Amino acid sequence: GTLALTVSSDGLLRNTTYILSFWLRNPASEQPGVVVTLSGVVDAGDSDDALGVAQTGAFHSPVLSAAMTSANESRLSVDDSAAPLTIFAPAFVVRGVGQSTPLIDASNILSVTLQSNCDLEGGTTLTLAGLVATQTETGTLAVSSNPAES
């Protein structure tokens, strides 16, 4: 895809760094990063030709296309994931569940073991489904970090 930007009437100044940011929706599947190129056409203004006739918008100069430098740092502890459109699917690479007792009408502790392939930021929602036929109400629990001993 292509995004076309138009410089406002204020212009962009020589030797000044500008940062442009915009939102987009990532694709629904993994993909490696892409090479983003930058090109343009400089509007050199209006002028009169040799006969004194105004030439509005006639003076343009192309800016040659060049590959942009991609960020190479990590995001969510995934190496090189800051490069544009590097799309990564989070997953649980370790996932297990067990219980403390199988006895009827007893208090039971379920233990869930998991390991993700990326950091899970605060506010991430984890859902355990299939916990049916208990005497405990459905609800929400806060989860804190307690890494297992290696």
Side-chain angles (χ1 to χ4, degrees), residues 9-143:
S9 61
D10 295 338
L12 300 178
L13 301 176
R14 177 178 180 249
N15 293 327
T16 303
T17 301
Y18 296 90
I19 297 174
L20 310 173
S21 299
F22 55 92
W23 287 98
L24 56 75
R25 171 78 61 186
N26 284 340
S29 60
E30 292 188 63
Q31 71 180 27
V34 298
V35 175
V36 177
T37 58
L38 176 65
S39 63
V41 177
V42 176
D43 183 352
D46 301 331
S47 184
D48 293 346
D49 65 13
L51 300 173
V53 177
Q55 300 295 309
T56 303
F59 299 98
H60 299 290
S61 179
V63 178
L64 299 179
S65 179
M68 298 182 77
T69 303
S70 292
N72 62 1
E73 61 264 5
S74 66
R75 297 284 189 264
L76 301 175
S77 295
V78 177
D79 291 338
D80 297 326
S81 58
L85 296 177
T86 297
I87 308 303
F88 178 81
F92 293 107
V93 294
V94 172
R95 52 199 181 277
V97 62
Q99 68 177 354
S100 63
T101 183
L103 300 177
I104 63 169
D105 205 28
S107 292
N108 192 4
I109 298 172
L110 293 186
S111 295
V112 175
T113 303
L114 56 88
Q115 178 184 350
S116 65
N117 61 355
C118 65
D119 291 347
L120 301 178
E121 298 290 316
T124 298
T125 301
L126 306 177
T127 303
L128 299 173
L131 303 174
V132 296
T134 73
Q135 296 181 60
T136 304
E137 294 181 28
T138 298
T140 301
L141 298 174
V143 177

